Amino acid sequence: MASLFYADKLCISDKHLMRTVKEQTGYSVHYCIADFIIQEAKLMLKSSDKSVIEISNELGFPNSSSFARNFRNPVNLSPLEFKNRASKTN
């Protein structure tokens, strides 16, 4: 559970992290973490020469298909499609 990882790093309880994030943002901690990871993935796909697999590994996904599935849902493009479109606009 990602929230437990971050709560541990912040030296607070998982429940405290979840409650505080929800109160401050209106979103669940899981949503905020997932959104941050997708934003980081977009930045990496746009600005680096790393492959989708390398980025997937760096972001802690178990495999590139899991990364692609989690990326495609909010972005409506696969990571490779996003990377290719971003490289055409530069």
Side-chain angles (χ1 to χ4, degrees):
M1 188 162 15
S3 61
L4 188 57
F5 171 82
Y6 290 105
D8 185 52
K9 295 295 179 191
L10 294 166
C11 299
I12 60 175
S13 74
D14 188 36
K15 287 183 181 183
H16 179 69
L17 177 63
M18 288 189 280
R19 185 177 52 252
T20 302
V21 169
K22 182 71 170 183
E23 286 172 0
Q24 295 299 312
T25 68
Y27 297 103
S28 73
V29 70
H30 302 289
Y31 174 86
C32 291
I33 291 168
D35 184 59
F36 176 81
I37 291 170
I38 294 303
Q39 296 308 316
E40 186 68 16
K42 285 178 169 181
L43 181 63
M44 293 172 79
L45 289 164
K46 284 181 186 178
S47 64
S48 78
D49 293 331
K50 293 178 183 178
S51 71
V52 171
I53 293 171
E54 290 172 314
I55 292 170
S56 168
N57 290 337
E58 261 187 59
L59 293 174
F61 286 90
N63 54 55
S64 60
S65 61
S66 174
F67 173 54
R69 194 171 42 256
N70 282 279
F71 188 88
R72 183 183 292 276
N73 190 29
V75 180
N76 294 322
L77 295 170
S78 74
L80 187 57
E81 290 169 330
F82 183 87
K83 184 172 184 65
N84 290 339
R85 285 188 183 186
S87 69
K88 288 179 185 178
T89 61
N90 291 336

